[in-house]
Amino acid sequence: YVVQLFYKTSLLSKEQNSVSVGGINTVIRSKAAVTTSELGENYYLIGPYVEDKMRFEVELDEPDDFYIRAAIQAMRDRGIRVVTGRWLIEGSPKVLLFDLATTGARYVEWMRDFWEVTHISVPDTDKESVNAVMFGDSSVGSSESSLVGTPVRK
């Protein structure tokens, strides 16, 4: 599987209305069709769930693959809302979106883990950095219940 993390795109950015289209959004959109055609059903984009954007830009669909479904279920069992589907851009890449609002119960634990690993403190007032840490931990998480820890089919 190839999983591409994306955090700041027009689909996902909470500041979409104040950010001009470009940068990572342009890169992902321009490469999605080619990458999807090359990798097929093994290509996933993951990012944070933003309901306002999701309604118009994602077609809901649950993955067919057993291992991806198992990883998603493990995250859902941890209380993380995961929304799956296809991004309605050229190539229709599969997306896995994590609702950061459902990660709040683990906020203190994840901030402590981030500090212990990086020795970088994240002020509570820096919403962008807090969201990045929460997104990273919800999408990668612990090895027993995340996409990273999911067994790869041989």
Side-chain angles (χ1 to χ4, degrees):
Y1 302 99
V2 173
V3 177
Q4 181 176 1
L5 294 172
F6 63 117
Y7 183 71
K8 297 283 266 176
T9 71
S10 68
L11 169 64
L12 302 171
S13 176
K14 292 181 180 181
E15 295 111 10
Q16 178 189 2
N17 296 330
S18 63
V19 175
S20 61
V21 175
I24 191 66
N25 178 49
T26 302
V27 171
I28 290 173
R29 283 181 182 265
S30 69
K31 297 183 182 288
V34 171
T35 307
T36 301
S37 70
E38 289 176 359
L39 300 174
E41 297 300 300
N42 293 327
Y43 180 56
Y44 292 83
L45 293 168
I46 65 174
Y49 171 85
V50 177
E51 188 167 345
D52 293 349
K53 307 303 172 198
M54 210 278 318
R55 283 189 210 150
F56 302 107
E57 297 188 33
V58 174
E59 178 181 9
L60 297 177
D61 186 27
E62 288 292 321
D64 294 327
D65 186 272
F66 169 81
Y67 295 104
I68 297 297
R69 282 194 332 267
I72 291 168
Q73 188 57 52
M75 287 182 269
R76 288 174 175 159
D77 291 346
R78 288 177 29 199
I80 299 169
R81 180 177 181 210
V82 182
V83 177
T84 62
R86 291 196 177 265
W87 193 3
L88 299 176
I89 62 172
E90 188 176 349
S92 299
K94 293 179 180 181
V95 294
L96 307 174
L97 306 175
F98 304 96
D99 186 348
L100 297 180
T102 63
T103 63
R106 296 176 158 239
Y107 173 80
V108 172
E109 172 190 349
W110 288 347
M111 286 299 160
R112 183 185 60 242
D113 291 348
F114 185 74
W115 167 255
E116 288 175 2
V117 170
T118 66
H119 297 289
I120 298 171
S121 64
V122 178
D124 292 338
T125 56
D126 185 350
K127 195 70 170 164
E128 185 78 16
S129 296
V130 168
N131 282 344
V133 171
M134 299 303 283
F135 170 70
D137 212 294
S138 65
S139 60
V140 175
S142 59
S143 61
E144 70 272 5
S145 60
S146 69
L147 292 176
V148 173
T150 302
V152 175
R153 184 177 349 133
K154 302 241 179 205

